[in-house]
Amino acid sequence: QGNKLRKWLTLTTTEGKSQNVTGEIELIVQRWYTQAIDFDPFELDVEQEEGLEPNEVRVGLVRGRGLAVKDKNLLKSGGSSDPRVRFELSRSIKCTSTTKYKTLSPNWCETFAMPFTRVGSAPAILSVFCEDVDEVTSADFMGSLKIPLEENKIIRKWYALQADAQGSGLAASSNVSGEIELVVQWRHNRSLDF
């Protein structure tokens, strides 16, 4: 998919280090395009005006890695999962991603926008639940996390999934692993001012 460079390089000495250096190493370098790395959901966003109350939470669900196996392979070791992610604000505003089948490292590259204004002085928290979708039975809990929202900042970060199933509506599980990369912004959207 990309240009490949394959070359033998002679090892050399470095000043102040051992002079007893011999040999060569073969280096293979290949450029590779990865959509998830290139995914920038809010790149065209204009600067936020100071003093305007945030009224919208935007989330870019980029990808996951190292997620727990929930669908065991009966014929050999290992397995996979069919992960999807749910987002909740104040237990009433909800969004759900698509399901990515048979993977522990899904690439979603999906965006969500939820109208949301602070009520009182309580901290604004985005709850995130990762679950394995099953065709016949209910979804299996894969992990959760809570993100305190910061006004008018775009934060792109990997978040570790936690074993706390509270609020997920799913049974807790000790089999929780992995991380999810998210881009989160709590901003003022003028189109919601009416």
Side-chain angles (χ1 to χ4, degrees):
Q1 190 181 27
N3 299 338
K4 186 188 254 185
L5 169 69
R6 184 176 197 151
K7 189 173 185 178
W8 281 94
L9 301 171
T10 303
L11 298 173
T12 60
T13 59
T14 302
E15 191 175 317
K17 302 289 182 182
S18 172
Q19 299 301 308
N20 186 17
V21 175
T22 60
E24 293 181 314
I25 60 169
E26 183 180 22
L27 181 66
I28 302 171
V29 179
Q30 184 172 8
R31 287 184 36 201
W32 200 267
Y33 176 77
T34 304
Q35 180 186 9
I37 294 171
D38 195 32
F39 179 66
D40 190 357
F42 314 134
E43 71 178 317
L44 300 176
D45 193 26
V46 295
E47 286 294 317
Q48 293 293 300
E49 296 179 39
E50 293 295 318
L52 296 176
E53 187 75 23
N55 62 359
E56 179 182 58
V57 174
R58 296 194 306 173
V59 179
L61 173 59
V62 184
R63 57 190 167 159
R65 65 181 175 199
L67 300 182
V69 171
K70 294 294 181 174
D71 302 327
K72 303 275 190 219
N73 188 329
L74 299 177
L75 300 177
K76 53 185 175 181
S77 65
S80 65
S81 290
D82 304 319
R84 75 175 171 204
V85 177
R86 287 187 298 120
F87 302 97
E88 292 185 11
L89 287 163
S90 303
R91 293 199 175 271
S92 61
I93 303 167
K94 301 177 182 182
C95 293
T96 304
S97 76
T98 60
T99 301
K100 300 299 180 182
Y101 294 95
K102 298 188 183 318
T103 181
L104 302 177
S105 298
N107 285 325
W108 279 284
C109 298
E110 298 177 20
T111 57
F112 307 90
M114 298 169 272
F116 179 76
T117 52
R118 183 190 314 268
V119 177
S121 61
I125 304 289
L126 175 67
S127 297
V128 182
F129 304 100
C130 186
E131 55 195 21
D132 171 60
V133 177
D134 293 317
E135 297 293 323
V136 179
T137 61
S138 62
D140 299 318
F141 178 75
M142 294 182 74
S144 67
L145 58 106
K146 296 193 181 302
I147 302 172
L149 297 175
E150 295 185 45
E151 295 182 18
N152 300 319
K153 290 185 180 176
I154 297 175
I155 299 171
R156 182 177 188 144
K157 172 177 169 177
W158 283 95
Y159 294 91
L161 292 171
Q162 306 296 315
D164 180 10
Q166 183 178 0
S168 71
L170 301 171
S173 170
S174 59
N175 180 18
V176 171
S177 66
E179 299 174 297
I180 295 177
E181 185 180 13
L182 298 170
V183 184
V184 179
Q185 181 186 33
W186 188 22
R187 68 167 194 157
H188 182 83
N189 180 348
R190 284 191 182 275
S191 68
L192 297 176
D193 288 341
F194 58 88

